[in-house]
Amino acid sequence: MMLQLRDICKTYVQGRLDVPVLQGISLSVEEGEYLAIMGPSGSGKTTLMNIIGCLDNPTSGDYVLDGEDIGRISEKRMSDVRLHSIGFVFQSFYLLSRQSALDNVALPLLYAGVRRRERQQIARKALERVGLGDRTEFKPNQLSGGQCQRVAIARAIVNNPKIILADEPTGALDTKSGQQIMEIFQSLNDEGVTIVMITHEPEIAAHAKRTLHIRDGLLVDSSGKPLNPPPETLEPTVEPAKEESTPQDAGERAKKEDAPPADAGHDAASAGEPEDSGSKPQLPFNLDKRLESLKERLPELKKHMLDLLPKTRKQQEGEAASQEENDEKPPEETASGTKAPVKDSAPEKAEQDPAAPQDIPAQKPAAAPVASKKPRKEKGKPPKDQEQPSKATPESEQAISGETIIASLERQAGELNQNQGQGGEEPSNE
């Protein structure tokens, strides 16, 4: 047995996608056999050829070549297998354009460590076997396509390999050159060389002794039936048979589904819920009456809150007017010619207002002259007690509470009394 493949699978990963190419290929090739593998583009035949030629590793499966398990050997040993046991013939030739035909054929011998004179003699004999003994010094650009392919065949057989792998050897050649290449392969096979050829042309595959077809990563026969199914095949699941139901059973089942539970009424009664879904739930108080009473009281409360602010403004205006009258009124003269102090109403207010300071006397000296008050008025900013409060919007007026307004009035009255006490002068003792 020259080579044997068992359940070979190959899957390529493209990003997050797994692309299976080969699915459980099993193949055996005897020594000295001439095998052709046919298949359309994308069927996986080139991937299979790369695995057989030790150019790629399978994702799973076993490959044995000439009694040696390829999956267990090292990279160095695999290189030796490719150099000495396998010869490659490609569709595109892959010749070195700057080297002569003789040097291209001798290249594998150079890698094998053969001396220059010896490798040139071996390469010359290989070129003679393919009919190019007189083109040894020609470069690839001086040869035709068929001649370049014959140089490639000579390079493949120069090391006397055990198997030759040919991937579309006549794909880039005309019909006449293709026939010449096939004759060379036939003569090599007659000499005992094992040949595995990949092609999609039936005329070229007819030269082989055995032909296999590959399709969608599987080896198939001439009728398209897989020779070996994939290693993992899912058996179809058998669903349990459904019981047949009669119309009477269906009617009884529908009645059971539509009927309410037996204890539904008992549960509703125990929970205190009405059985009639259309009736309203009863509350412990009459909600509608409470809402009506609140709506009736709302205008009254709003009016009361709005009346509080105008009263505070009137009080501030009255206090400011009385202070200006006291400042402008001249002091009265007594019979002795002295100025009698003018009684101020502030002490009376202080007695009436509990927020006024306790140390203010019952009678207070006359208020200061108007001249002493003018510098205070000429300044750009009026006193704090005479500042006009900002106009409040109806929304802010409604937000002010009665307690806040009363506290503000008491604070302003105390400040007014304190300012009047500081502004007056002591009467003379004449």
Side-chain angles (χ1 to χ4, degrees):
M1 186 73 64
M2 177 56 62
L3 65 90
Q4 186 176 10
L5 304 175
R6 290 192 294 266
D7 296 333
I8 295 294
C9 296
K10 180 63 180 179
T11 302
Y12 292 101
V13 179
Q14 296 180 357
R16 297 182 178 180
L17 182 64
D18 294 339
V19 181
V21 180
L22 299 180
Q23 306 181 48
I25 297 292
S26 296
L27 175 65
S28 299
V29 179
E30 300 290 341
E31 185 176 358
E33 188 175 357
Y34 191 175
L35 174 65
I37 300 176
M38 294 184 61
S41 298
S43 59
K45 57 184 183 298
T46 301
T47 303
L48 177 60
M49 180 66 68
N50 292 336
I51 292 176
I52 295 175
C54 301
L55 299 175
D56 197 0
N57 296 321
T59 304
S60 62
D62 299 325
Y63 174 33
V64 178
L65 177 62
D66 197 18
E68 190 171 11
D69 190 353
I70 301 300
R72 298 183 180 181
I73 63 177
S74 62
E75 291 292 334
K76 183 178 180 181
R77 174 57 187 159
M78 192 174 294
S79 298
D80 293 338
V81 170
R82 288 193 297 264
L83 180 62
H84 298 284
S85 300
I86 304 174
F88 296 92
V89 179
F90 302 99
Q91 179 179 354
S92 300
F93 317 141
Y94 295 115
L95 299 177
L96 301 178
S97 59
R98 296 184 180 182
Q99 302 296 326
S100 63
L102 184 64
D103 293 335
N104 273 280
V105 174
L107 186 61
L109 298 174
L110 176 63
Y111 294 146
V114 180
R115 295 181 179 181
R116 179 181 177 82
R117 182 177 297 178
E118 185 178 356
R119 65 173 179 262
Q120 286 184 350
Q121 294 177 357
I122 298 173
R124 195 180 300 274
K125 292 180 180 179
L127 285 172
E128 292 176 354
R129 290 178 65 182
V130 297
L132 293 177
D134 56 345
R135 298 289 191 272
T136 57
E137 302 301 328
F138 283 60
K139 293 184 178 180
N141 58 0
Q142 298 173 336
L143 300 173
S144 63
Q147 291 174 342
C148 289
Q149 191 64 289
R150 281 191 273 175
V151 172
I153 295 173
R155 181 185 58 189
I157 64 175
V158 71
N159 266 341
N160 295 321
K162 298 178 180 179
I163 182 173
I164 292 179
L165 302 179
D167 187 6
E168 299 282 358
T170 62
L173 304 177
D174 59 307
T175 305
K176 183 178 179 180
S177 300
Q179 291 295 331
Q180 294 176 355
I181 299 301
M182 289 297 99
E183 292 175 1
I184 295 173
F185 281 161
Q186 187 63 51
S187 62
L188 292 174
N189 182 249
D190 294 341
E191 295 176 2
V193 178
T194 305
I195 299 175
V196 177
M197 180 176 60
I198 298 290
T199 183
H200 64 276
E201 300 179 11
E203 297 82 4
I204 300 300
H207 293 81
K209 298 178 180 179
R210 183 162 67 113
T211 303
L212 295 177
H213 298 265
I214 185 171
R215 185 173 299 172
D216 298 331
L218 294 172
L219 289 177
V220 298
D221 54 15
S222 57
S223 62
K225 184 178 179 180
L227 296 178
N228 5 67
E232 297 180 0
T233 56
L234 298 177
E235 297 181 358
T237 57
V238 180
E239 297 182 358
K242 296 182 179 180
E243 297 181 358
E244 297 182 357
S245 59
T246 61
Q248 296 179 357
D249 297 339
E252 294 178 359
R253 192 181 302 108
K255 289 181 180 179
K256 291 181 180 180
E257 293 177 356
D258 295 339
D263 55 346
H266 178 71
D267 294 342
S270 60
E273 296 180 358
E275 296 181 0
D276 188 6
S277 59
S279 61
K280 296 181 180 179
Q282 296 181 359
L283 299 176
F285 55 87
N286 196 336
L287 182 62
D288 295 338
K289 290 184 178 181
R290 288 199 176 186
L291 290 176
E292 290 177 0
S293 62
L294 289 175
K295 288 180 181 179
E296 291 176 357
R297 294 183 60 188
L298 182 61
E300 182 182 354
L301 295 173
K302 188 184 296 184
K303 182 179 179 181
H304 177 70
M305 295 301 295
L306 292 175
D307 291 343
L308 291 176
L309 282 176
K311 289 181 180 180
T312 59
R313 291 175 184 172
K314 290 179 181 179
Q315 289 179 0
Q316 290 180 2
E317 291 175 359
E319 292 175 359
S322 63
Q323 184 178 357
E324 290 179 359
E325 290 177 0
N326 293 334
D327 293 341
E328 293 177 357
K329 184 177 180 181
E332 297 179 358
E333 294 182 0
T334 59
S336 60
T338 59
K339 296 179 180 180
V342 179
K343 293 182 179 181
D344 194 2
S345 62
E348 297 177 1
K349 291 182 180 180
E351 293 176 2
Q352 298 174 2
D353 190 0
Q358 300 296 331
D359 56 351
I360 297 177
Q363 289 185 356
K364 203 163 185 179
V370 179
S372 63
K373 285 291 181 179
K374 284 184 180 180
R376 184 185 300 273
K377 293 181 180 181
E378 289 177 359
K379 292 182 180 181
K381 188 176 180 181
K384 292 183 180 179
D385 54 358
Q386 297 181 6
E387 290 181 359
Q388 296 294 335
S390 59
K391 294 182 179 181
T393 61
E395 291 80 5
S396 63
E397 290 178 356
Q398 295 177 10
I400 300 175
S401 63
E403 296 179 359
T404 306
I405 294 173
I406 294 171
S408 176
L409 291 175
E410 292 177 354
R411 185 173 61 257
Q412 291 179 5
E415 292 177 356
L416 287 172
N417 294 332
Q418 188 176 0
N419 291 336
Q420 290 177 2
Q422 293 179 359
E425 293 181 356
E426 294 292 338
S428 60
N429 295 326
E430 294 179 0

